[in-house]
């Protein structure tokens, strides 16, 4: 018995995270084309026809691009909050009423043997939210697409065994980069994305000082304003400056826009 997950794809080109127990299989976001989504499942030997539910975090296309297609093809129920439904429904194409379910912010729902809790984030979408997944005392927290990590968010995602945590951009790369100022300002704002350094400080606040084994997957890296090694190094150094040693009980992992992480026990 265990809780397992794979970050199928992560980044502004599309996001999807697979989570399963022995009884439940769910997907958080379907932000790539139907074909691409299927190939990601295939790469990990997973079968999308066995999915029980699709959770949508917010209506940005890198989170919903394949949602309508996938839901129709595999007859999936989609869970999202009311405001997200209103914003994304025109983009999903035709769904039947029995595919439309509500999951409001800060609600906990039970899916078989898995408890799923939603929490709001600060991002320029209708009502963006992310999730924690709990099963038999193990917990996975997923948080990306947020301009900052509030105390409230830290409390809700905390005490997890594994985190999928946004580490979007390197401040200097973003500042010096080719993006127009309006786009830079959006990313840097309270409703944009968190930088490597801010992510690491939030993690340091969240992590318990005890030695509980924790795996952190750095996610939603900007293609233009970040690099895996740089994100990893910045987070590692910042965590070290806050008294956390990485590499032993606290491990950092990469995610990728095209290659799924191995299916891993939380
Ligand atoms: Zn977004
Ligand atoms: Zn996104």
């Amino acid at each position: 018995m265990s809780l397992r997950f794979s970050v199928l794809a992560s980044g502004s080109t599309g996001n999807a995270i697979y989570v399963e127990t022995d009884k439940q299989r769910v997907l958080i976001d379907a932000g790539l084309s139907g074909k691409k989504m299927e190939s990601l499942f295939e790469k990990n030997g997973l079968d999308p026809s066995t999915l029980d539910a699709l959770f949508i975090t917010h209506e940005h296309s890198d989170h919903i691009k394949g949602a309508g297609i996938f839901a129709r093809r595999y007859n999936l129920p989609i869970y999202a909050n009311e405001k997200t439904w209103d914003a994304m429904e025109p983009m999903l194409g035709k769904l039947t009423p029995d595919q439309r379910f509500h999951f409001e912010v800060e609600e906990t729902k039970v899916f078989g043997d898995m408890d799923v809790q939603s929490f709001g984030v600060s991002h320029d979408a209708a009502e963006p939210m992310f999730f924690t997944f709990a099963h038999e005392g193990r917990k996975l927290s997923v948080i990306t697409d947020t301009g900052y990590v509030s105390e409230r968010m830290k409390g809700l995602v905390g005490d997890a065994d594994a985190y999928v945590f946004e580490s979007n951009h390197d401040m200097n790369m973003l500042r010096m980069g080719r993006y127009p100022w309006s786009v830079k300002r959006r990313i840097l704002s309270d409703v944009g994305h968190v930088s490597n350094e801010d992510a690491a400080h939030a993690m340091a606040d969240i992590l318990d000082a005890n030695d509980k084994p924790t795996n952190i997957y750095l996610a939603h890296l900007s293609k233009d304003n970040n690099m895996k090694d740089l994100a990893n190094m910045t987070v590692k150094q910042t965590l070290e400056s806050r008294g956390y040693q990485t590499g032993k009980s606290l491990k950092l992992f990469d995610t990728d826009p095209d290659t799924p992480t191995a299916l891993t026990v939380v």
Side-chain angles (χ1 to χ4, degrees):
M1 300 291 261
S2 62
L3 180 64
R4 301 172 289 270
F5 77 106
S6 165
V7 180
L8 298 176
S10 188
S12 50
T13 48
N15 297 274
I17 300 172
Y18 173 85
V19 183
E20 68 168 23
T21 62
D22 289 344
K23 289 189 184 143
Q24 284 294 310
R25 290 169 180 173
V26 301
L27 188 63
I28 308 131
D29 292 332
L32 303 96
S33 71
K35 208 174 157 187
K36 202 93 203 256
M37 294 283 310
E38 275 171 355
S39 88
L40 292 166
F41 270 82
E42 207 171 293
K43 278 183 191 168
N44 249 357
L46 301 169
D47 180 1
S49 73
T50 63
L51 282 171
D52 296 295
L54 169 58
F55 304 129
I56 300 294
T57 60
H58 63 298
E59 72 278 14
H60 288 163
S61 69
D62 58 321
H63 298 261
I64 64 161
K65 195 176 178 189
I69 303 156
F70 229 56
R72 274 185 294 281
R73 193 168 295 164
Y74 300 108
N75 193 29
L76 287 176
I78 300 181
Y79 290 81
N81 61 49
E82 180 87 59
K83 286 181 184 156
T84 300
W85 266 117
D86 289 345
M88 74 176 176
E89 206 156 15
M91 298 180 264
L92 295 189
K94 204 171 161 43
L95 296 167
T96 59
D98 66 345
Q99 289 180 292
R100 198 183 190 284
F101 289 86
H102 277 113
F103 200 148
E104 296 303 326
V105 175
E106 285 198 29
E107 197 180 340
T108 302
K109 282 186 189 288
V110 179
F111 291 82
D113 55 359
M114 188 191 283
D115 289 351
V116 185
Q117 183 175 23
S118 62
F119 59 92
V121 292
S122 177
H123 191 58
D124 53 359
E127 191 158 36
M129 63 181 193
F130 279 82
F131 300 96
T132 68
F133 299 85
H135 169 75
E136 292 192 336
R138 310 294 285 180
K139 179 174 169 183
L140 165 70
S141 293
V142 179
I143 178 169
T144 68
D145 297 77
T146 190
Y148 68 101
V149 185
S150 67
E151 294 308 311
R152 176 110 199 130
M153 295 175 218
K154 286 172 196 168
L156 289 164
V157 302
D159 199 30
D161 305 280
Y163 295 86
V164 176
F165 213 107
E166 169 159 63
S167 190
N168 181 261
H169 54 274
D170 175 75
M171 281 292 201
N172 290 325
M173 283 182 78
L174 179 65
R175 280 207 194 96
M176 312 298 273
R178 61 176 179 85
Y179 282 11
W181 173 237
S182 59
V183 177
K184 291 183 184 182
R185 197 167 50 196
R186 185 231 150 202
I187 296 169
L188 290 167
S189 78
D190 273 0
V191 290
H193 295 276
V194 285
S195 69
N196 297 335
E197 211 167 314
D198 288 348
H201 279 295
M203 286 171 210
D205 292 342
I206 289 165
L207 293 170
D208 210 309
N210 70 28
D211 262 351
K212 171 176 163 172
T214 309
N215 293 335
I216 300 178
Y217 288 71
L218 303 180
H220 214 302
L221 268 65
S222 165
K223 204 163 67 176
D224 296 296
N225 300 309
N226 211 352
M227 292 178 288
K228 282 182 193 172
D229 289 350
L230 182 59
N232 194 295
M233 191 185 77
T234 306
V235 170
K236 183 177 182 302
Q237 284 174 350
T238 308
L239 285 172
E240 278 169 10
S241 78
R242 296 279 303 267
Y244 292 97
Q245 212 60 44
T246 60
K248 286 183 180 153
S249 64
L250 177 61
K251 291 199 179 82
L252 299 178
F253 295 88
D254 292 329
T255 61
D256 192 87
D258 298 306
T259 309
T261 62
L263 190 65
T264 305
V265 174
V266 173

